[in-house]
Amino acid sequence: MPTFYDPEADAAEAREAIRGLAHASRQIDHPDALYGLVWEMLGATRNLEQVLNQLARNTLAHQQRASTDRGDDKIGHADAWAAADFLATAAREVGQAEAALDQASGLLGRIAWQKTPPQVAETIERAPHALDERQAQAKSRSWFEHPGIAAVKRERGLGR
């Protein structure tokens, strides 16, 4: 749950939430969920742009306190200024991602997803099982047991 007062804890939680979404969205079985997912990401992107701009402003606000580990204030101030500039650049680029998400959201909102035809649904359902079976066969059999290899082994007197 967000704290709304501890930016470090909230940033860590946001990272974990995005990590969870990255895992959960590897396969989406119901395409009608795409519109809602993109809508939520659009909102998250708008908030991320705001956060990046705020981080840039805060970096500049504390610029006079910046120095290097060796105590060089001038380099510290320059680094703070450069960091703020990069944060502002990141915010602008996230704004471009926001515009693209807005377009995607609009297009997804126009789609009426149809039911998957039964033969396609059966193929989709069988595919992971077929792959698992194929991998299990490959693991249970040495490449030396391949029929072609077995014939070569017999010809050379290496067979059983």
Side-chain angles (χ1 to χ4, degrees):
M1 297 288 286
T3 66
F4 295 98
Y5 61 84
D6 183 347
E8 291 175 79
D10 290 345
E13 184 171 341
R15 181 185 56 81
E16 279 300 305
I18 294 296
R19 181 175 171 251
L21 179 59
H23 180 78
S25 62
R26 287 182 300 176
Q27 179 177 339
I28 297 171
D29 295 327
H30 304 288
D32 53 331
L34 291 169
Y35 175 78
L37 290 168
V38 171
W39 179 257
E40 293 297 338
M41 292 309 303
L42 178 60
T45 304
R46 287 179 177 148
N47 289 331
L48 179 58
E49 181 181 13
Q50 178 182 353
V51 167
L52 292 170
N53 278 318
Q54 290 170 177
L55 291 174
R57 283 194 301 274
N58 277 287
T59 301
L60 289 178
H62 297 288
Q63 179 183 14
Q64 295 304 314
R65 298 172 57 187
S67 70
T68 66
D69 289 339
R70 293 185 177 179
D72 189 327
D73 294 344
K74 289 181 182 181
I75 293 176
H77 296 170
D79 285 350
W81 184 266
D85 189 48
F86 279 115
L87 287 164
T89 298
R92 284 190 301 277
E93 291 177 7
V94 167
Q96 291 175 351
E98 177 190 337
L101 283 168
D102 194 31
Q103 291 294 316
S105 176
L107 293 167
L108 286 169
R110 297 186 343 205
I111 296 173
W113 297 101
Q114 305 301 308
K115 288 187 176 185
T116 305
Q119 67 275 19
V120 174
E122 185 179 324
T123 302
I124 291 170
E125 190 174 307
R126 276 194 328 227
H129 302 294
L131 181 60
D132 290 343
E133 289 173 16
R134 181 83 168 155
Q135 288 174 335
Q137 287 174 354
K139 286 180 184 176
S140 68
R141 179 170 65 190
S142 166
W143 71 276
F144 286 109
E145 296 173 12
H146 185 276
I149 300 296
V152 170
K153 284 171 50 179
R154 275 193 308 276
E155 288 174 10
R156 295 185 180 170
L158 302 172
R160 296 176 210 184

